[in-house]
Amino acid sequence: MFHDPDFLPFTPREKPSFRATVRNFLELYPPAAYRERFFVLRGFRPLVAKTNILIDPELAEEMLITRADEFPRDVLTVRLLSGPINRDSLFFAEGAEWKWQRRAVAPAFRHENLLALVPTYAECARAQIEEWRDAPAGEPVDVMRAMSNTTFSVIERAVLGASASFDRERFLANLGVALGSIGWRRLVALLGLPPNWTPHPGYFRATAAARRLRDATVRLLEERRAESSERRDILGLLLSAKDPESGRVMTDSELVANLYGFLVAGHETSAVALGWSLWLLAKDQASQQRLRDEVARVAGEEKIGPETVERLVFAKQVLQEAMRLFPPAAAVGRQPREDTMIGPYKLPKNEPVFVLLWCLHRHEGLWDEPHAFDPDRFSPEQVKARHRYAYLPFGAGPRICIGMGFALLEMATILAELVRAFRFDTIPGHRLELAPSFTTRPKGGLPLILTPLTGARAKAARAEPAPARSAA
Ligand code: HEM
């Protein structure tokens, strides 16, 4: 167990706060949310609709799996995250519409196809390593930003194929602006107003950025259509998808929405999980060294490949523990079509219900020392001893993240390549502040000091005893 005050970097509030709603909505969940099974968050009565919060594996299982058909996506999530660019995507589709869209892209996520992408994951990690090697020694590096670049280069290749080229820096800069307004959009949505049409601080900048993102996505689609040959990447699957029942193909609006959706959902979440993993390993040097040793044992000096990635057991445990403490998506929302009950609790029709992953993953009744970092929580024995749905970073049930297998292989490959090439250290005096937007992001990135480990130095670092843990 490794403890650090930054692992719970705020004090949960007892009362609603406009400021916290915009800056860090995780503060709004009171201490009881880390102890109870269910509670109702009343917000700023009488202005704001109440939301029902589940923090219990059995209740989550009932809503997301056993009775999934009764609970479509909730109106708050839809209002918060959907805009003209993405509202026709798989993420927001329901019923038969959702089913055929999901089926259309499923082949891209078959295990054998994901394993075939492992060399791509490793190449993208190595490109990042080269960039870091060229950076001035000893200068802090924002690993969160770097991981966005790395995972975007991965998703670009998976969605658009190897030959795709577009202005990634510009796309990511616009995305940062568009997603940066989510705090305000949350407040607007909670007030019952439409975030796409209600001005708030940063509204015009965010709207202009969203327009540029849409233009860039439309251009990608047009370029692909101008090509003569068919391709089997994710965009190729979207273009050739045909509903087996109606025979219809995707409209332009659905194609743009899904192309954009995969580019964004397919890199932002993995980037955030990798950023937190590197930061947690920089805090816990013993785990960092243990991971480096595992990589040396499994892969030697070889590039991580399809045959080695699945043997990186500890790498996966580190990633899982990082996503427990800092789940990239902090909550999964639904709402009942009819007035109903879940367990002993009443759920009124059309009222949002959230499985609050942030609190579920830190629940005092489910986890020992819930705010401490301990990758061994994900050893096979400990996993077996826990309720299966105590841990849900990818959601669960029919709408479980379609990219889960993709992300796990991608992140294990990248993490292994990076810890083999560098030692990661925290910056003394740096204090963490959370600023969650679309994902659970820190304010101002995650600056770390990187020390290259090459050849003899890497061996020497491996031979060195692991530094003592600061607290256990
Ligand atoms: C660490 C990485 C990731 C995390 C933590 C994550 C998390 C999630 C969560 C919590 C959901 C909502 C599930 C629900 O509503 O029950 C979701 C849905 C989704 N994710 Fe991911 N995701 C990750 C990576 C990816 C990747 C790599 C892709 C694509 C390549 C992707 C594409 C999607 C899509 C399309 C959906 C909507 C699925 C549907 O509604 O049927 N995600 N993800």
Side-chain angles (χ1 to χ4, degrees):
M1 293 270 175
F2 189 88
H3 295 263
D4 188 290
D6 275 352
F7 295 169
L8 180 61
F10 58 83
T11 308
R13 289 172 187 260
E14 291 286 1
K15 293 216 170 100
S17 143
F18 279 109
R19 192 183 146 93
T21 305
V22 175
R23 296 201 174 182
N24 175 14
F25 73 99
L26 297 170
E27 287 180 26
L28 299 175
Y29 303 106
Y34 299 77
R35 285 196 296 271
E36 295 184 1
R37 299 182 73 199
F38 177 91
F39 73 97
V40 177
L41 193 69
R42 295 202 183 271
F44 316 98
R45 266 187 301 175
L47 277 176
V48 175
K50 63 187 183 35
T51 44
N52 303 288
I53 308 290
L54 304 185
I55 357 102
D56 178 83
E58 282 166 20
L59 300 180
E61 180 176 8
E62 191 176 337
M63 181 170 85
L64 298 177
I65 303 168
T66 329
R67 297 169 56 200
D69 286 351
E70 296 170 47
F71 292 89
R73 277 210 195 286
D74 66 286
V75 64
L76 271 181
T77 302
V78 174
R79 271 199 213 136
L80 184 65
L81 298 182
S82 78
I85 188 168
N86 65 352
R87 72 165 66 97
D88 286 333
S89 68
L90 169 63
F91 189 88
F92 297 107
E94 295 290 350
E97 200 56 43
W98 165 78
K99 206 176 243 171
W100 91 269
Q101 286 205 23
R102 180 130 180 159
R103 221 184 282 148
V105 285
F109 296 95
R110 279 198 207 114
H111 194 60
E112 67 272 20
N113 292 338
L114 298 179
L115 281 179
L117 279 170
V118 173
T120 302
Y121 304 152
E123 277 159 32
C124 293
R126 290 192 164 201
Q128 182 59 62
I129 290 168
E130 288 316 309
E131 204 182 312
W132 276 341
R133 282 199 202 285
D134 290 341
E139 288 279 312
V141 165
D142 177 1
V143 293
M144 212 44 128
R145 184 150 188 257
M147 288 304 94
S148 290
N149 257 307
T150 309
T151 58
F152 200 86
S153 62
V154 167
I155 197 69
E156 213 177 291
R157 297 221 224 158
V159 173
L160 301 167
S163 64
S165 69
F166 76 114
D167 194 341
R168 185 188 313 156
E169 286 281 328
R170 190 155 181 259
F171 193 93
L172 284 174
N174 281 317
L175 191 62
V177 173
L179 298 182
S181 78
I182 282 200
W184 283 105
R185 286 176 67 92
R186 178 173 292 108
L187 184 63
V188 168
L190 278 167
L191 293 171
L193 299 166
N196 292 330
W197 310 110
T198 310
H200 52 71
Y203 172 84
F204 293 105
R205 245 186 112 219
T207 310
R211 204 173 313 117
R212 284 193 288 273
L213 289 167
R214 187 182 159 80
D215 292 347
T217 314
V218 169
R219 264 198 309 277
L220 287 171
L221 184 61
E222 283 168 354
E223 278 166 22
R224 173 62 67 90
R225 280 209 163 122
E227 285 178 13
S228 49
S229 57
E230 266 189 27
R231 293 209 234 142
R232 296 297 292 166
D233 48 36
I234 292 176
L235 178 54
L237 284 172
L238 292 172
L239 279 162
S240 61
K242 203 178 245 184
D243 185 346
E245 266 142 52
S246 66
R248 89 167 178 86
V249 294
M250 285 194 195
T251 62
D252 276 10
S253 174
E254 286 164 346
L255 285 167
V256 169
N258 278 312
L259 176 51
Y260 175 79
F262 277 110
L263 286 175
V264 175
H267 91 281
E268 165 69 14
T269 40
S270 330
V272 166
L274 277 166
W276 286 120
S277 301
L278 290 171
W279 179 81
L280 287 160
L281 289 174
K283 292 268 187 192
D284 179 2
Q285 289 290 331
S287 290
Q288 188 179 145
Q289 190 55 44
R290 187 172 154 194
L291 175 53
R292 199 169 287 125
D293 290 343
E294 175 180 83
V295 181
R297 211 173 40 250
V298 167
E301 306 283 319
E302 297 298 308
K303 208 195 260 182
I304 305 299
E307 61 302 326
T308 41
V309 65
E310 291 186 293
R311 286 163 43 214
L312 295 171
V313 176
F314 190 63
K316 194 169 163 206
Q317 286 182 211
V318 167
L319 290 159
Q320 285 171 312
E321 176 66 344
M323 290 190 289
R324 181 187 70 82
L325 281 171
F326 297 96
V332 173
R334 298 286 191 273
Q335 68 185 28
R337 290 183 207 280
E338 303 296 339
D339 290 347
T340 189
M341 303 284 290
I342 194 134
Y345 309 104
K346 261 195 197 152
L347 295 180
K349 176 177 167 176
N350 295 339
E351 229 173 55
V353 191
F354 288 102
V355 180
L356 191 58
L357 307 185
W358 177 274
C359 293
L360 180 73
H361 290 181
R362 292 167 179 253
H363 197 280
E364 290 166 19
L366 298 169
W367 307 92
D368 279 345
E369 303 189 52
H371 308 298
F373 176 67
D374 179 11
D376 283 324
R377 294 181 206 271
F378 290 92
S379 66
E381 308 75 55
Q382 291 203 37
V383 169
K384 213 182 273 170
R386 233 181 354 251
H387 194 294
R388 188 167 169 200
Y389 301 112
Y391 177 71
L392 295 169
F394 296 99
R399 292 204 89 129
I400 193 170
C401 173
I402 199 170
M404 178 172 77
F406 183 113
L408 287 173
L409 288 175
E410 172 195 26
M411 296 188 300
T413 307
I414 294 174
L415 192 64
E417 290 284 352
L418 298 183
V419 295
R420 175 159 67 179
F422 293 93
R423 178 189 154 112
F424 295 84
D425 285 284
T426 51
I427 295 176
H430 173 263
R431 289 310 305 269
L432 181 73
E433 208 181 313
L434 281 183
S437 58
F438 171 54
T439 51
T440 309
R441 276 189 169 268
K443 187 172 172 189
L446 285 177
L448 295 181
I449 301 287
L450 276 54
T451 311
L453 302 170
T454 45
R457 284 175 68 192
K459 281 196 189 110
R462 285 202 288 274
E464 259 175 41
R469 291 167 175 228
S470 67

